[in-house]
């Protein structure tokens, strides 16, 4: 019987988020609730699996791992792109890679939760009131402030429109952003990244991780921000230099930051970010909603059934070089 292994089911909800009966009638389905960080652990846990299911980019599937999984025939990743999967190597080995649909609104919503939580000190005040203290901080309002949006795609534009609704002035910039796109969303096109960083009271990152964006915000960029400004990243960790951000928070180069994404996930014990001041952290919750999980796993079931029937759906091809 075909063996299906679902990785990184942190909340143990994969099998209750969709009707798996059509798969379970033809395959053994195993959901693993723990993250396996080493390739050796993965190779053992996956063993003779013919199908593996990935939750976003939690677990890398590189060529070296693929070579240790001779029975693998199908990889299903949530979303229609996964930078942690070597799709070309999979194709060379005859392994099909399929994706799923995804909702963008949850990440935009979390972005605003982080902005408001950061500027109004909501996590700190929650902790304070539980320990018997009352009104320990003075927050910062957002009406009339400038929001700097790095990346004006689907998520960035959703975040920008909420900023406009709050009465903020919104600047946007990315390497490919055009005046026409900025006008379509109703925001100002910043002439450069440096100009945006120098003017924004809140900078929020909504760029795809690539060779061009990796390390896009380093120490020099953080130094261009106002000492009263805040940084929020719900995109991908490596876009922001973590060591530079830790230093900027300790030095007071910026007023604070909120992160939902990290270079290494889960964030390891003792990581410098855990001791950084004026920092709100969430464990990559941007896409983690009931609605998204139902869509993800419903499509996962369709992908697996389609593959078993010999008609794969939502196949992801390697990017052209």
């Amino acid at each position: 019987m075909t063996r299906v292994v679902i990785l990184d089911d942190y909340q143990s909800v994969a099998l209750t988020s969709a009707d798996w009966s059509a798969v379970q009638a033809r395959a053994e389905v195993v959901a693993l609730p723990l993250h396996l960080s080493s390739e050796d652990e993965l190779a053992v846990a996956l063993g003779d699996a013919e199908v593996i299911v990935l939750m976003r980019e939690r677990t890398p599937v590189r060529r070296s791992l693929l070579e240790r999984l001779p029975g693998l025939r199908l990889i299903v990743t949530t979303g229609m792109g996964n930078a942690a999967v070597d799709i070309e190597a999979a194709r060379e080995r005859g392994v099909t890679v399929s994706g799923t649909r995804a909702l963008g609104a949850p990440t935009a919503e979390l972005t605003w939760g982080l902005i408001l939580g950061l500027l109004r000190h909501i996590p700190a005040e929650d902790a304070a009131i539980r320990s018997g203290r009352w009104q320990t901080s003075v927050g910062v309002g957002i009406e009339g402030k400038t929001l700097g949006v790095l990346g004006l795609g689907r998520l960035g534009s959703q975040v920008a429109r909420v900023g406009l609704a709050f009465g903020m002035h919104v600047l946007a910039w990315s390497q490919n952003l055009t005046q026409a796109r900025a006008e379509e969303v109703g925001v100002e096109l910043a002439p450069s990244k440096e100009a945006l960083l120098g003017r924004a009271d809140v900078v929020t990152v909504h760029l795809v991780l690539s060779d061009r964006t990796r390390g896009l915000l380093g120490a020099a960029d953080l130094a261009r921000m106002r000492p009263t400004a805040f940084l929020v990243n719900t995109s991908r960790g490596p876009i922001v230099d973590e060591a530079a951000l830790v230093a900027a928070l300790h030095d007071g180069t910026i007023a604070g930051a909120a992160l939902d994404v990290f270079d290494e996930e889960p964030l390891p014990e003792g990581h410098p970010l855990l001791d950084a001041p004026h920092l709100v952290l969430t464990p990559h919750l941007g896409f983690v909603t009931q609605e998204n999980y139902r869509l993800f796993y419903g499509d996962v079931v369709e992908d697996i059934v389609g593959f078993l029937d010999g008609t794969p759906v939502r196949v992801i091809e390697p990017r052209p070089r």
Side-chain angles (χ1 to χ4, degrees), residues 24 31 65 70-71 99 121-122 140 149 201-202 215 221 239 244 271 284 289:
Q24 290 170 326
L65 177 60
H121 308 287
I122 293 173
V140 176
V149 181
D201 297 295
V202 178
D221 302 291
I239 295 173
H271 193 284
H284 206 150
T289 64

Side-chain angles (χ1 to χ4, degrees), residues 19-174:
D19 180 0
W20 286 80
S21 59
V23 176
Q24 290 170 326
R26 305 166 66 178
E28 174 195 7
V29 181
V30 178
L32 301 180
L34 299 177
H35 177 70
L36 302 176
S37 56
S38 80
E39 186 176 291
D40 288 341
E41 290 177 313
L42 283 165
V44 171
L46 296 175
D48 58 354
E50 294 177 58
V51 180
I52 61 175
V53 179
L54 309 177
M55 175 53 72
R56 303 303 296 126
E57 295 167 357
R58 289 175 180 172
T59 295
V61 179
R62 305 301 188 200
R63 182 181 296 273
S64 56
L65 177 60
L66 290 168
E67 291 173 348
R68 299 173 70 174
L69 303 174
L72 186 63
R73 298 165 56 208
L74 173 68
I75 298 170
V76 182
T77 176
T78 52
M80 283 305 296
N82 190 326
V85 177
D86 190 333
I87 296 174
E88 185 171 347
R91 185 176 186 179
E92 289 174 7
R93 298 185 63 81
V95 178
T96 300
V97 182
S98 289
T100 73
R101 293 170 293 170
L103 301 173
T107 300
E109 293 165 0
L110 182 73
T111 298
W112 276 104
L114 289 174
I115 292 173
L116 295 173
L118 177 63
L119 272 63
R120 298 299 296 272
H121 308 287
I122 293 173
E125 290 294 354
D126 175 82
I129 199 170
R130 293 175 190 276
S131 65
R133 294 174 292 157
W134 192 259
Q135 289 193 4
T136 64
S137 63
V138 178
V140 176
I142 59 175
E143 184 178 9
K145 299 294 196 306
T146 297
L147 177 68
V149 181
L150 293 174
L152 202 61
R154 181 174 59 155
L155 297 180
S157 61
Q158 289 177 332
V159 171
R161 290 184 176 108
V162 174
L164 293 171
F166 271 124
M168 301 185 78
H169 179 72
V170 182
L171 291 172
W173 177 87
S174 72

Side-chain angles (χ1 to χ4, degrees), residues 151-219:
L152 202 61
R154 181 174 59 155
L155 297 180
S157 61
Q158 289 177 332
V159 171
R161 290 184 176 108
V162 174
L164 293 171
F166 271 124
M168 301 185 78
H169 179 72
V170 182
L171 291 172
W173 177 87
S174 72
Q175 290 98 331
N176 298 324
L177 184 58
T178 65
Q179 181 67 42
R181 173 59 179 168
E183 291 177 357
E184 178 185 349
V185 180
V187 304
E188 179 185 346
L189 174 62
S192 65
K193 176 184 67 172
E194 292 75 17
L196 181 146
L197 295 174
R199 291 176 56 188
D201 297 295
V202 178
V203 175
T204 180
V205 181
H206 302 285
L207 295 163
V208 174
L209 180 62
S210 67
D211 291 341
R212 289 198 306 172
T213 61
R214 188 178 297 273
L216 184 73
L217 296 181

Side-chain angles (χ1 to χ4, degrees), residues 305-316:
V305 170
F307 180 81
L308 294 177
D309 287 343
T311 55
V313 295
R314 287 185 284 267
V315 175
I316 302 173

